[in-house]
């Protein structure tokens, strides 16, 4: 007898990162990977690097950068916008005499997402906003390589790159198989310098993605397996001593990668839509916004809520409070709209009639708890 619930997984034809390297000091192999891509051609490589490293340097000298390559430092004051991506693409079209042989993102979610988006735009043409949505990218981008320097978002392993269109306010990525990285290099030495609170906020993105997925209704065995293991690793890191020890930074890098694989085959829930509201209306960055939203999540995720605050306390992390207390009615309206627009995760968490549960008044009550 066949078990239809096992066969009928609801998983689309999923695509994973093609290759990965993992280990302390693994970034030294970047030079060889780029040299292989370049072959005998004179095609340049492009490097997007988090501006933190412009000031402080990388732990190893980047031998991968050759004479005609382009290095662009990315500031992380704001999260990516479509205008910014268009500008970077146009700039590269002007300076690159040949199509680049590879495009490399060294940094956190912001830098990795910019790298993905510019890679796709360089070969597909047009503007970033043309590709916000599902499966709109037509041809593969430039060969893309990610080297994460902070762990948690899973941007290194997902099929999206999040960006906001400032004219429409739409915060949506290029969800496409072509957005998945061709190569990633996971080197836990690179996360040594992350600040204590930031390390926690970003790390918690992995925990929250998976906690939401496991509590949703669109479940499948593969997504669950990735999520279970991600949560296990996060518990080791955040309920153990020295969350930033060599061992724990290495574990969190794996949790981030697996958490990204988990959301590629499942959905998030209530936290992410509320967090997106905070980002769009108040400009709060994604990972700290998630943590702020957790202040109001006891009613939806009692277990996750308890464990999250246990981790916060254990690590002595500061989570901002009271950020929605003095907002106008107009701001609350915009918060509501930019939350309920996220249908898929809200249906996953609350069902088709989620707007009956999340009324305007209810949403305001939730925001006021933050
Ligand atoms: P980030 O890129 O926002 O960086 C956070 C801060 O950490 C910055 O100040 C940065 O300079 C600093 N930093 C990074 N590495 C450092 C290091 N080694 N030492 C010292 N400082 C360092 O980081 P994030 O939290 O990973 O990314 C958030 C972004 O990721 C948001 O834009 C969000 O929308 C996006 N995101 C994308 C996906 C996806 O699937 N593509 C998923 C979740 C979130
Ligand atoms: Zn997230």
């Amino acid at each position: 007898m066949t078990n239809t619930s096992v066969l009928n997984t609801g998983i689309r034809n999923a695509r994973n990162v093609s290759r990965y390297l993992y280990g302390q000091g693994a970034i030294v192999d970047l030079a060889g990977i780029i040299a292989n891509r370049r072959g005998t051609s004179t095609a340049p490589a492009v490097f997007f690097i988090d501006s933190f490293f412009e000031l402080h340097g990388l732990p190893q000298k980047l031998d991968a950068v050759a004479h005609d390559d382009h290095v662009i430092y990315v500031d992380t004051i704001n999260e990516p916008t479509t205008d910014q991506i268009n500008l970077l693409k146009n700039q590269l079209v002007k300076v690159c005499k040949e199509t680049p042989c590879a495009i490399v993102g060294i940094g956190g979610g912001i830098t990795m997402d910019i790298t993905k988006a510019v890679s796709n735009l360089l070969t597909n043409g047009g503007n970033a906003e043309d590709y916000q949505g599902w499966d709109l990218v037509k041809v593969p981008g430039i060969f893309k390589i990610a080297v994460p320097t902070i762990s948690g978002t899973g941007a290194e392993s997902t099929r999206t790159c999040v960006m906001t269109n400032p004219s429409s306010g739409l915060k949506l990525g290029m969800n496409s198989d072509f957005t998945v990285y061709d190569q990633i290099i996971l080197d836990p030495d690179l996360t040594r310098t992350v600040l204590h609170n930031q390390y926690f906020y970003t790390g918690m993105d992995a925990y929250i993605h998976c906690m939401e997925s496991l509590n949703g209704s669109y479940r499948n065995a593969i997504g669950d397996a990735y999520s279970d293991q991600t949560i296990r690793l996060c518990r080791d890191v955040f309920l153990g001593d020295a969350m930033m020890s060599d061992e724990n930074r290495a574990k969190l890098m794996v949790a981030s990668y697996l958490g990204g694989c988990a959301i590629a085959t499942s959905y998030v829930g209530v936290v992410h839509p509320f967090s997106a509201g905070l980002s769009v209306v108040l400009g709060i960055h994604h990972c700290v916004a998630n943590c702020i939203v957790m202040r109001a999540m006891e009613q939806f995720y009692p277990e996750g809520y308890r464990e999250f605050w246990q981790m916060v306390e254990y690590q002595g992390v500061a989570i901002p409070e009271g950020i929605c207390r003095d907002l106008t009615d107009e701001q609350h309206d915009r918060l509501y709209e930019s939350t309920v627009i996220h249908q898929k995760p809200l249906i996953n968490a609350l069902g088709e009639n989620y707007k009956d549960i999340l009324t305007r008044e209810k949403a305001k009550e939730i925001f006021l708890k933050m």
Side-chain angles (χ1 to χ4, degrees):
M1 208 176 83
T2 52
N3 179 343
T4 50
S5 68
V6 170
L7 292 178
N8 199 1
T9 61
I11 297 179
R12 39 176 294 289
N13 196 5
R15 165 118 195 241
N16 280 357
V17 164
S18 311
R19 287 175 175 273
Y20 53 84
L21 264 171
Y22 171 57
Q24 275 190 308
I27 195 175
V28 291
D29 290 327
L30 182 59
I33 292 167
I34 304 257
N36 269 339
R37 293 294 311 166
R38 214 185 309 262
T40 52
S41 81
T42 51
V46 174
F47 297 80
F48 286 113
I49 305 179
D50 187 314
S51 59
F52 172 85
F53 298 106
E54 186 176 18
L55 263 181
H56 299 90
L58 283 157
Q60 318 242 9
K61 190 174 162 289
L62 255 197
D63 291 331
V65 182
H67 183 59
D68 285 332
D69 291 347
H70 301 281
V71 176
I72 300 170
Y73 288 100
V74 174
D75 87 54
T76 54
I77 297 164
N78 296 308
E79 295 192 335
T81 64
T82 48
D83 292 354
Q84 178 190 13
I85 308 283
N86 294 336
L87 208 74
L88 287 166
K89 181 264 224 168
N90 292 336
Q91 201 178 318
L92 284 173
V93 167
K94 261 197 211 134
V95 297
C96 292
K97 289 186 209 93
E98 286 176 73
T99 306
C101 64
I103 177 159
V104 185
I106 305 176
I110 290 180
T111 308
M112 288 191 278
D113 279 1
I114 288 176
T115 305
K116 286 170 158 183
V118 172
S119 153
N120 286 348
L121 264 198
L122 278 171
T123 53
N124 281 269
N127 291 319
E129 50 272 34
D130 304 338
Y131 302 99
Q132 281 184 293
W134 279 268
D135 302 308
L136 301 170
V137 182
K138 295 285 179 276
V139 295
I142 307 285
F143 188 88
K144 29 178 144 351
I145 304 173
V147 186
T149 63
I150 181 169
S151 307
T153 65
E156 62 276 24
S157 47
T158 61
R159 66 192 297 277
T160 193
C161 46
V162 186
M163 55 203 179
T164 302
N165 178 342
S167 345
S168 67
L170 183 66
K171 188 181 186 203
L172 185 61
M174 296 178 184
N175 292 269
S176 161
D177 280 354
F178 297 128
T179 304
V180 180
Y181 274 106
D182 299 293
Q183 167 83 59
I184 62 173
I185 299 179
L186 305 178
D187 178 351
D189 274 356
L190 298 176
T191 65
R192 201 185 296 274
T193 46
V194 178
L195 295 176
H196 181 85
N197 282 352
Q198 185 65 54
Y199 180 86
F200 184 88
Y201 302 151
T202 299
M204 271 297 138
D205 199 24
Y207 176 88
I208 292 171
H209 285 153
C210 295
M211 186 274 288
E212 288 178 282
S213 289
L214 290 171
N215 281 284
S217 52
Y218 296 132
R219 305 266 302 274
N220 67 72
I222 293 180
D224 282 6
Y226 281 130
S227 291
D228 278 335
Q229 185 58 18
T230 302
I231 288 195
R232 210 168 291 165
L233 289 164
C234 288
R235 281 185 186 135
D236 284 356
V237 172
F238 294 111
L239 292 173
D241 294 332
M243 67 175 182
M244 290 188 69
S245 66
D246 285 353
E247 193 189 345
N248 280 336
R249 290 196 330 279
K251 276 189 182 175
L252 193 59
M253 206 156 236
V254 177
S256 178
Y257 169 72
L258 295 178
C261 296
I263 40 168
T265 55
S266 60
Y267 292 102
V268 288
V270 183
V271 183
H272 273 74
F274 275 94
S275 169
L278 294 181
S279 296
V280 171
V281 180
L282 304 176
I284 300 176
H285 283 215
H286 177 70
C287 297
V288 66
N290 287 343
C291 293
I292 294 171
V293 170
M294 284 305 286
R295 291 195 173 280
M297 288 296 115
E298 187 171 16
Q299 56 199 308
F300 301 110
Y301 304 113
E303 285 286 304
Y305 173 89
R306 187 194 51 73
E307 187 161 64
F308 173 84
W309 288 104
Q310 190 185 349
M311 291 175 182
V312 169
E313 202 160 305
Y314 201 77
Q315 301 302 338
V317 172
I319 311 284
E321 191 175 8
I323 49 145
C324 295
R325 258 176 223 152
D326 301 316
L327 301 184
T328 61
D329 287 347
E330 192 263 337
Q331 282 174 306
H332 273 288
D333 278 344
R334 285 174 51 219
L335 280 173
Y336 174 74
E337 299 301 343
S338 45
T339 300
V340 294
I341 202 173
H342 295 275
Q343 285 190 1
K344 282 183 188 173
L346 289 170
I347 293 174
N348 182 37
L350 305 173
E352 292 285 343
N353 298 327
Y354 69 87
K355 283 191 184 169
D356 295 345
I357 301 169
L358 278 191
T359 59
R360 219 170 264 274
E361 297 69 46
K362 178 74 181 175
K364 185 170 180 181
E365 192 185 293
I366 291 172
F367 279 115
L368 286 174
K369 279 196 178 146
M370 298 175 193

